[in-house]
Amino acid sequence: MTEPQSPPKLMAAGEHLGERGGNYKITIFELENFQGKKQELTEESPNVTEEALEKVGSIQVESGPWLGFERQAFCGEQFVLEKGAYPRWDSWSNSHSSDSLMSVHPLLIDTHDHKIHLFENAGYNWRKMEIVDEDVPSLWVHGFQDRVASIKALNGTWVGYEYPGYRGRQYIFERGEYQHWNEWDASQPQIQSVHRVRDQQWHKHGCFETP
């Protein structure tokens, strides 16, 4: 059995980005539909309402991707923000359980290749599903049940969802090994769809095209 390894921590905006550090830019608006006060960011913010804004109503990602968090200091539910426009909270929250977004962090994508192994049981045991360079809106279609208890992200950065069709809570998987679902802050071993997180360096429009 592979020796357990802790998943990698999120990088600070300036860490290991090199010349690509300037490629990250996000504009946060206080009101829906890109109205009201706005704040432009090119690096992480543990509290986006600390200065000019009272809340987050809409988001424009000019270059990224970014990772948003429900609470301050990069805590709570996670929201992947790829290049594009998010006119209101339910356009970035797939679980629709909270309209709060309080902190953001650039998400480093260091390769265009993607490969991930999903395991039915903790400790990389029982049935395994390998996914290479594709998005999977439903694991059921490929004969894999909704139980995913451990994961090896071998290449690229991925996001897993509780339900088919990229719905429900989001879980980010950077390159590394996750031998138990509590290592990605899940309350149960349930993932039913996964997709690649992509960078405009290789994928010019990310997942969303800006009007």
Side-chain angles (χ1 to χ4, degrees):
M1 185 183 299
T2 304
E3 184 178 350
Q5 175 179 327
S6 299
K9 296 181 180 179
L10 291 170
M11 293 184 179
E15 286 185 340
H16 310 301
L17 296 184
E19 61 182 14
R20 294 177 51 214
N23 288 346
Y24 290 86
K25 185 177 180 181
I26 186 172
T27 303
I28 299 173
F29 297 82
E30 194 170 62
L31 303 178
E32 295 180 359
N33 297 313
F34 320 108
Q35 302 297 312
K37 296 177 182 178
K38 68 179 182 180
Q39 181 178 14
E40 293 184 353
L41 297 171
T42 56
E43 59 184 12
E44 69 176 28
S45 174
N47 181 6
V48 297
T49 63
E50 186 175 18
E51 296 181 5
L53 307 179
E54 292 185 6
K55 61 179 181 178
V56 177
S58 51
I59 296 172
Q60 177 83 48
V61 179
E62 298 183 37
S63 54
W66 294 71
L67 191 61
F69 296 83
E70 179 186 9
R71 299 195 297 272
Q72 298 176 8
F74 318 115
C75 296
E77 188 174 353
Q78 301 178 3
F79 313 105
V80 175
L81 302 168
E82 294 177 280
K83 183 181 180 181
Y86 302 81
R88 51 176 280 130
W89 71 272
D90 56 6
S91 60
W92 67 72
S93 173
N94 295 76
S95 68
H96 296 174
S97 62
S98 173
D99 62 356
S100 175
L101 190 151
M102 297 295 291
S103 52
V104 294
H105 197 300
L107 188 57
L108 178 63
I109 307 298
D110 59 0
T111 177
H112 66 283
D113 297 318
H114 289 77
K115 183 176 181 180
I116 192 170
H117 290 169
L118 310 179
F119 297 84
E120 190 170 359
N121 287 347
Y124 322 115
N125 290 313
W126 206 239
R127 292 197 305 157
K128 180 182 79 172
M129 179 178 181
E130 179 179 276
I131 304 171
V132 180
D133 290 332
E134 66 175 326
D135 303 326
V136 180
S138 174
L139 300 183
W140 285 81
V141 173
H142 296 270
F144 204 81
Q145 303 295 324
D146 61 352
R147 180 182 173 87
V148 177
S150 54
I151 288 175
K152 291 183 179 181
L154 303 177
N155 292 101
T157 301
W158 298 77
V159 56
Y161 298 82
E162 279 185 300
Y163 306 119
Y166 314 121
R167 296 178 298 112
R169 292 184 68 95
Q170 304 175 43
Y171 305 106
I172 194 73
F173 299 103
E174 296 182 279
R175 188 167 54 187
E177 299 185 359
Y178 306 77
Q179 67 174 347
H180 193 277
W181 66 86
N182 61 17
E183 294 185 4
W184 61 82
D185 293 326
S187 59
Q188 57 183 336
Q190 178 174 316
I191 291 179
Q192 296 188 26
S193 53
V194 297
H195 86 70
R196 297 160 291 171
V197 180
R198 295 177 287 181
D199 189 310
Q200 76 280 355
Q201 180 175 354
W202 295 288
H203 308 274
K204 296 302 180 183
H205 295 293
C207 282
F208 303 95
E209 291 195 20
T210 305

